[in-house]
Amino acid sequence: MKHGFIRVAALTPKVKVADPKYNQERICELIDTAREAGAQVMVFPELCITGYTCGDLFYQEILLSEAKEALIDIASHTEKTDAILFVGLPLEYNGKLYNVAAVVCGGSILGLIPKTHIPNYNEFYERRHFAEGMKEPVPVRLDDDYIVPMGTQILFGCRQMPGLKIGVEICEDLWAPDPPGIAHAMAGATLLVNLSASDETTGKDLYRRALVSGQSARLICGYVYASAGDGESTQDVVYSGHNLIAENGTVLAESERFANESIYSEIDIQRLTEERRRMSTYGTADTAYLNAEFSLHEKRTKLTRFVDPAPFVPGKKEDRDKRCKEIFLIQAMGLKKRLEHTNCQTAVIGISGGLDSTLALLVTVKAFDLLGRDRGGIIAVTMPGFGTTDRTHENAVSLIRSLGAAFREVDIADAVRTHFRDIGQDENVHDVTYENGQARERTQILMDIANKLGGMVIGTGDMSELALGWATYNGDHMSMYGVNVSVPKTLVRHLVRWYADSCGEEELKGVLLDVLDTPVSPELLPPEEGKISQKTEDIVGPYELHDFFLYYVLRFGCTPKKIYRLAKYAFAGTYEKEEIRKWLTTFYRRFFSQQFKRSCLPDGPKVGTVAVSPRGDLRMPSDACARIWMDELERLQEDDEAEKGQDDMLDSFDKRMDALFQGFINR
């Protein structure tokens, strides 16, 4: 439950049709297994206490009676189980039979949720047996000890985790035009569970998967779908036990079909509640729901779900290529419109031989091609200075010529030396003035060339640099249109590689691949033995870490502690926790102190869900106080030490218990 995570399970027992006692035993076995796996929300299939395929046996009093007894025994079995579970059975009330999900926690039955949509088409004939569930809860007596509420308008909220509210759907409820889960979510449910008995036909699994992921995306919720499997009658249909766990459109876990496989994952409730806060169109409803509370022990949920170390970059090549093509076109179309609107016939761009300016030039070429203009209208300027190496200079020149842009070179050394004399700067003192003087000279050159030609300066800086403030104010920070402004550094690399692989020009591809192989550097300090002496990632930290931090700070508003935990998990084996702490502290310090640079950014196209434009996604005051974030960062090492102590105690306890158990076996 720490940091908003709750471990959930979708569990499919092997059942015997019309044998509640046998099914109860199998359900309890799975409860014990899931408890050992740390699950605190357990979902079983529809009518699993009796089996879904009982047909007219549902009319038999003895079956209904034994199903009720089995439910009560299951509840007793969970007395010392730290979990809330959902299990299906048929239940009679006021002379009608209902297909219900029983909700059990800590040895007690908290409520009964009846199925809303009763299918009676094709192979389904549930209306023959079951009535449509009531919305407003009614009291139902199960035996002398149990009177519980039954109705669809019940949510189950966790006392220890206020963001966790659970709503229930049953099979067809999800497939209907008006799923009850919509009302549940608008009433506050952040996790939906579905007890299902969906039979298998060719291709149905793809549609089922789309329904579950789509429902979780539309409602910004977690979704746990448990379906009937082996053991159900195969008289006319077959059940595959297709279990799914999804969160906000992403399928976190999926079972192998026809295997009765239990699946587990962690739902990030904190992330879901933050996303709902962010979306002004996410409505709420004051529907009269009954809120039933339950308790779980607060504990650290072990993460097993995939946490992508590169959240901006799709993992599969086909997805990555598609994303790169789409982003590249967004950038080019944005620039195309700006050139059309301003009637600029010339674009001026500084080319360093590095990744960012390479991508910006490729985008500018595409914009000119879309406009049907001669690429000679692109004035690509190299401006060698004190830190320029032969490698980057040669790559810059080769790139410009390969693309057919107009090449111009302006050596900045003499102009910068004159400027240094004017302001009293010693050229041998390689301080911030020494570096920024060069960056501002280059920007002045580009701006003046653009004025002379009636053109537009194209900005090259990327979003990662802007997040860290790694740009010279009124130097490379400034342009007339910034095409890379919302592209993170990790994605810039993949965009250039995608272009290299798809351009079909071997000479150009060779240049692009060498650019990709060149260390990231502003090249503002003199080279050492002809090689780059100033490597950006040695100074501000690895961009793959900073992009990870940026994603979770801006996309989900996560706390430093949570981001640190996710980073340790995602980058295990790549970075030590001390490195992650160091660069996370650097990220927050720079992110807050450098907002003034982002507050006056030039225009540029948004390409993804995270952006830093002061006119759109990040309306942050330039003088905001970072104290509460920095205070939490200072406590990270203490938390690590305390966590290690707890882990050592648990390991010691587990070893003692194993020894005792082995001693018992040996006796």
Side-chain angles (χ1 to χ4, degrees):
M1 298 172 75
K2 189 176 182 182
H3 301 132
F5 290 105
I6 188 77
R7 188 157 171 78
V8 301
L11 310 160
T12 299
K14 182 167 184 176
V15 300
K16 285 185 178 180
V17 178
D19 190 345
K21 186 65 178 175
Y22 174 88
N23 298 337
Q24 168 202 325
E25 291 170 356
R26 303 292 80 74
I27 290 167
C28 289
E29 287 171 359
L30 283 181
I31 291 171
D32 294 343
T33 302
R35 180 182 63 228
E36 292 302 313
Q40 291 186 288
V41 178
M42 305 177 190
V43 186
F44 290 87
E46 178 181 14
L47 296 171
C48 61
I49 289 179
T50 58
Y52 175 79
T53 49
C54 289
D56 284 356
L57 293 178
F58 283 128
Y59 291 137
Q60 299 295 312
E61 176 63 32
I62 189 171
L63 181 67
L64 301 179
S65 177
E66 189 158 325
K68 193 187 300 183
E69 290 175 13
L71 171 61
I72 293 169
D73 289 343
I74 290 169
S76 298
H77 183 81
T78 67
E79 186 175 355
K80 295 184 179 180
T81 298
D82 182 33
I84 183 170
L85 61 100
F86 301 81
V87 61
L89 76 158
L91 187 77
E92 184 181 9
Y93 171 74
N94 273 359
K96 292 293 182 182
L97 194 59
Y98 295 89
N99 178 344
V100 306
V103 186
V104 177
C105 186
S108 297
I109 302 169
L110 304 182
L112 302 162
I113 309 298
K115 189 171 183 175
T116 297
H117 297 286
I118 313 299
N120 222 59
Y121 59 90
N122 295 341
E123 65 267 37
F124 304 108
Y125 50 95
E126 284 188 38
R127 284 192 180 275
R128 180 179 175 90
H129 309 114
F130 298 108
E132 183 178 311
M134 68 290 293
K135 289 186 177 181
E136 293 186 12
V138 297
V140 174
R141 179 178 291 277
L142 296 178
D143 66 4
D144 292 340
D145 297 324
Y146 272 118
I147 298 178
V148 298
M150 181 170 79
T152 61
Q153 291 184 337
I154 306 176
L155 296 183
F156 301 87
C158 181
R159 292 186 183 92
Q160 293 75 19
M161 194 178 192
L164 175 59
K165 287 190 176 181
I166 306 175
V168 181
E169 293 185 323
I170 301 177
C171 200
E172 186 75 13
D173 289 345
L174 174 62
W175 302 65
D178 57 339
I182 295 174
H184 299 339
M186 292 181 70
T190 50
L191 176 61
L192 296 180
V193 301
N194 189 310
L195 294 73
S196 180
S198 179
D199 63 304
E200 210 59 60
T201 55
T202 301
K204 191 175 181 180
D205 61 312
L206 300 177
Y207 187 58
R208 188 186 297 119
R209 191 180 198 271
L211 279 175
V212 170
S213 62
Q215 183 81 322
S216 72
R218 182 171 56 255
L219 301 181
I220 311 177
C221 67
Y223 205 100
V224 183
Y225 183 95
S227 192
D230 187 22
E232 291 286 357
S233 173
T234 59
Q235 181 173 329
D236 290 303
V237 293
V238 172
Y239 298 84
S240 71
H242 187 199
N243 297 334
L244 294 152
I245 298 173
E247 177 189 291
N248 197 18
T250 300
V251 174
L252 302 177
E254 182 173 7
S255 68
E256 181 182 346
R257 291 186 295 155
F258 309 106
N260 280 25
E261 182 185 4
S262 298
I263 57 171
Y264 301 86
S265 192
E266 300 78 45
I267 301 293
D268 190 345
I269 300 297
Q270 204 173 76
R271 175 173 173 172
L272 294 169
T273 54
E274 198 285 330
E275 185 72 357
R276 287 184 179 184
R277 282 198 303 268
R278 182 188 303 271
M279 283 190 63
S280 60
T281 53
Y282 192 94
T284 58
D286 296 326
T287 312
Y289 268 72
L290 171 65
N291 286 290
E293 287 194 332
F294 64 95
S295 290
L296 297 174
H297 290 128
E298 294 185 70
K299 61 183 181 182
R300 184 179 52 163
T301 303
K302 182 179 179 181
L303 295 180
T304 60
R305 60 186 273 171
F306 176 66
V307 177
D308 196 339
F312 291 111
V313 182
K316 295 180 180 178
K317 186 180 186 305
E318 57 269 29
D319 294 338
R320 191 164 58 247
D321 288 348
K322 181 181 177 183
R323 177 79 58 85
C324 287
K325 181 178 181 180
E326 181 181 33
I327 289 173
F328 188 73
L329 284 172
I330 291 172
Q331 293 176 278
M333 291 299 291
L335 179 57
K336 171 181 174 288
K337 167 63 178 176
R338 184 54 55 93
L339 290 168
E340 283 180 312
H341 177 73
T342 57
N343 199 31
C344 278
Q345 301 300 308
T346 304
V348 180
I349 182 169
I351 306 300
S352 66
L355 276 172
D356 289 345
S357 65
T358 295
L359 176 59
L361 179 57
L362 295 173
V363 168
T364 305
V365 165
K366 181 64 176 179
F368 266 64
D369 289 350
L370 290 169
L371 287 166
R373 293 183 184 174
D374 188 328
R375 293 182 182 182
I378 303 169
I379 312 302
V381 186
T382 62
M383 294 168 283
F386 304 137
T388 303
T389 60
D390 291 342
R391 180 182 185 181
T392 55
H393 180 259
E394 288 170 7
N395 279 339
V397 175
S398 297
L399 180 68
I400 295 166
R401 288 178 173 160
S402 294
L403 291 168
F407 169 68
R408 187 176 294 194
E409 181 160 300
V410 179
D411 192 312
I412 67 168
D414 288 344
V416 172
R417 287 192 178 99
T418 299
H419 178 61
F420 283 171
R421 286 197 300 271
D422 290 344
I423 65 171
Q425 171 71 21
D426 186 343
E427 185 182 334
N428 296 311
V429 177
H430 297 165
D431 58 7
V432 67
T433 305
Y434 177 88
E435 294 187 38
N436 287 349
Q438 297 172 69
R440 292 194 179 100
E441 179 62 29
R442 287 178 171 134
T443 300
Q444 175 181 261
I445 289 168
L446 295 175
M447 291 286 184
D448 290 346
I449 290 174
N451 287 163
K452 188 176 179 64
L453 300 175
M456 174 185 297
V457 175
I458 309 303
T460 63
D462 64 59
M463 182 169 66
S464 304
E465 293 178 340
L466 293 169
L468 295 168
W470 190 250
T472 299
Y473 193 84
N474 205 34
D476 52 311
H477 155 262
M478 193 46 59
S479 67
M480 295 171 184
Y481 194 77
V483 293
N484 296 338
V485 71
S486 66
V487 183
K489 183 75 79 177
T490 48
L491 194 52
V492 170
R493 180 171 296 277
H494 286 283
L495 280 159
V496 173
R497 183 171 297 278
W498 163 79
Y499 195 96
D501 292 340
S502 60
C503 68
E505 300 174 34
E506 288 304 312
E507 183 180 347
L508 175 58
K509 180 178 180 178
V511 176
L512 295 175
L513 291 179
D514 197 60
V515 169
L516 284 164
D517 195 45
T518 304
V520 177
S521 172
E523 290 195 322
L524 296 171
L525 296 180
E528 295 176 358
E529 298 180 358
K531 295 183 179 180
I532 292 171
S533 63
Q534 185 184 26
K535 296 180 181 178
T536 298
E537 292 181 293
D538 290 345
I539 302 168
V540 297
Y543 274 116
E544 61 180 344
L545 279 179
H546 286 306
D547 282 357
F548 185 90
F549 303 152
L550 177 65
Y551 180 78
Y552 283 98
V553 167
L554 292 188
R555 183 68 181 84
F556 298 109
C558 293
T559 64
K561 281 186 179 180
K562 184 169 184 177
I563 295 171
Y564 177 54
R565 180 185 179 187
L566 291 170
K568 286 193 296 181
Y569 181 73
F571 291 99
T574 304
Y575 295 102
E576 296 296 328
K577 59 186 179 182
E578 293 80 10
E579 288 182 277
I580 295 172
R581 277 203 310 266
K582 171 186 174 181
W583 297 123
L584 182 58
T585 301
T586 297
F587 175 86
Y588 273 102
R589 177 175 55 78
R590 294 191 67 99
F591 181 75
F592 274 88
S593 67
Q594 301 295 296
Q595 172 61 20
F596 74 97
K597 295 179 182 176
R598 298 187 293 269
S599 290
C600 56
L601 283 179
D603 292 353
K606 176 178 177 177
V607 303
T609 56
V610 176
V612 295
S613 167
R615 296 166 295 278
D617 292 72
L618 186 59
R619 304 189 183 194
M620 173 180 167
S622 298
D623 48 8
C625 179
R627 182 191 59 78
I628 57 176
W629 288 268
M630 302 309 290
D631 284 353
E632 183 161 294
L633 286 164
E634 288 179 6
R635 293 192 292 268
L636 291 180
Q637 186 170 354
E638 297 174 13
D639 291 347
D640 273 345
E641 291 169 357
E643 201 171 90
K644 184 179 184 305
Q646 292 172 4
D647 289 343
D648 290 344
M649 288 176 61
L650 287 171
D651 289 343
S652 177
F653 176 76
D654 289 342
K655 288 176 183 176
R656 291 200 305 272
M657 292 304 293
D658 287 344
L660 287 171
F661 180 72
Q662 192 61 46
F664 175 77
I665 294 295
N666 292 337
R667 285 169 55 196

